[in-house]
Amino acid sequence: MNRSWNFRRGVLLALAGYTAFLVFAAPQRCADALQAGLRLCGGPLLVSLFPFLIVSALAAGCGAGQWLGFVFRPAARLMGIRAKGAGGVLLIGALGGFAPAAVAASEAVRTGQLTSRQASALLPACVCSGPSFVILTVGQQMLGSRAVGVRLFAAQLLAGYLTAALLCRMQGGAGQAPPAQGETIPLPALDAVIAQAAVTYLKLCGFVLYFRLLAAGCGALLPQPWAALPAMLLEVCSGCDQAARTGLWASTLCCAALSVQGVSVLLQVRTICPAEISLRPLLAARAVHLPLSVALFWLGSTAPTGQDELANAYSALFFGAPIINTILLPVLMAVLASRLWDVEVKGYTAKLLYTLQSRRSLFFGKAVFGLGEIVLMVALEAAVLLLLGHTQGYTEAFPAGQFAYLNLCTLTVCTMLYFSELLLALWFSNPLPAVCVGIIGALLGLFSAFMPQIASYFVPWGYFVPLCSYEVK
């Protein structure tokens, strides 16, 4: 406890010193960053957040969220949450973004529509940027394409739902019993709701201004292509602004910034939500949400439209599939290996099993079950590729040889990664190192795809790309 307190005190002291240093070292840059933050708070952020802060409080206070969110109720059930109020929280999150969703979740817990555990499990699905900000500000103004903004919003929303469902299932659900009914609370007064929304919005603007100031200071110390990295980690609006200026990878980096959300958004959600709503699922979801959202965005961006693109559609599809596999499959193999050994670790049943069967037979059973999962996964991917070609009307002749080679390479690399992650889980007697290695390996594999080919041979998580029939140049 004392060590943790000393660490936090050191961090706060360093942050205070760095903030004061920035003001005196680069006053003009700090002024420009604050002015840009004020324009953002008085423009796009005001339209996308403030009205929905009022809407979320009114809908939750009068009970309308339970029947307005019936469309999202199946998605909540897929996440393992059967409470009627879950659909309303997802609806507010899809329309207004992270701040209204956090308000809606807090109000649902306060009125007894959700338990705190259910609200925590919903946060990874509804903490995202709102459609008006993503489509109009990021897509149309920063990237010059409203269609790109629509794909960015769809990718982050779908990745959030899938991530929330995955984490909830891994943690054994969020509680299936209906939450206890809270005390009878009178209907909210309109003046109180508006006043509370104004105070909440001013707090959020304070976070935006401060972390935009820090991002500007960190960006001044780095060259332009790398200046987007601290902005993406600190504040999502500044991160998207910096990412949009990088050129070729602008849309992908904007997708990554929207996925990470930044320290500013996480602290804003912590400020809105009460202490009983844990942010641990939300923090864990960032690691899975990032590769998943980028993969979904790329999948939507590679859909062919013109006749020339349809004539080479299979080649483009077989080129993009290994890159998507590099992002997703190392993480999935780590999750698969950790889950297969997690029962023995948490239940301390490994020694008991060794008295009933040999170590070799136990490992053989884990290996066979994992290989079966991998074969099923590769078969599903092959079916999706075939379905895309059929539904999109590809005119290129189907390259059966390259299709079989792609699936064989995917199966081989997945098998190698699965056994390496399983050995890590066995070695450390803890599934966490295997998952961390899988996440870091996915990022290294993605970067190695665009390095010289000799360098990609030393990154096994990225072997999907050098073994492909096509080369990245």
Side-chain angles (χ1 to χ4, degrees), residues 312-356:
N312 299 287
Y314 279 116
S315 300
L317 184 62
F318 293 168
F319 167 76
I323 300 179
I324 296 177
N325 289 340
T326 302
I327 300 173
L328 289 179
L329 293 184
V331 180
L332 292 179
M333 292 301 103
V335 171
L336 176 61
S338 63
R339 293 302 295 170
L340 283 180
W341 194 246
D342 193 39
V343 177
E344 284 76 10
V345 172
K346 286 187 175 180
Y348 299 100
T349 59
K351 293 182 179 180
L352 178 61
L353 289 175
Y354 293 154
T355 63
L356 301 176

Side-chain angles (χ1 to χ4, degrees), residues 436-457:
C436 294
V437 169
I439 295 172
I440 297 174
L443 297 176
L444 293 176
L446 178 61
F447 286 120
S448 69
F450 304 95
M451 295 179 182
Q453 191 171 15
I454 186 65
S456 64
Y457 293 153

Side-chain angles (χ1 to χ4, degrees), residues 24-171:
F24 288 101
Q28 187 59 43
R29 192 178 186 91
C30 293
D32 293 340
L34 293 176
Q35 289 176 2
L38 288 174
R39 287 194 298 268
L40 179 67
C41 293
L45 204 61
L46 180 64
V47 177
S48 61
L49 282 186
F50 183 68
F52 289 99
L53 291 174
I54 300 176
V55 169
S56 59
L58 291 176
C62 66
Q66 293 191 11
W67 56 271
L68 285 176
F70 72 95
V71 178
F72 290 84
R73 202 168 295 166
R77 291 189 176 185
L78 288 176
M79 300 172 195
I81 305 172
R82 299 185 178 275
K84 294 182 179 180
V89 176
L90 291 178
L91 173 65
I92 294 297
L95 295 179
F98 65 91
V103 172
S106 302
E107 290 294 323
V109 172
R110 186 177 67 89
T111 56
Q113 302 173 29
L114 292 175
T115 64
S116 58
R117 184 178 178 185
Q118 290 171 339
S120 300
L122 280 176
L123 287 182
C126 55
V127 171
C128 61
S129 299
S132 59
F133 173 76
V134 178
I135 297 175
L136 299 180
T137 304
V138 179
Q140 185 174 353
Q141 296 182 13
M142 296 183 182
L143 298 176
S145 173
R146 183 176 294 186
V148 174
V150 172
R151 291 201 298 269
L152 285 172
F153 178 72
Q156 71 159 351
L157 192 64
L158 183 57
Y161 288 0
L162 295 176
T163 303
L166 176 63
L167 291 179
C168 191
R169 297 297 181 181
M170 289 178 62
Q171 295 173 357

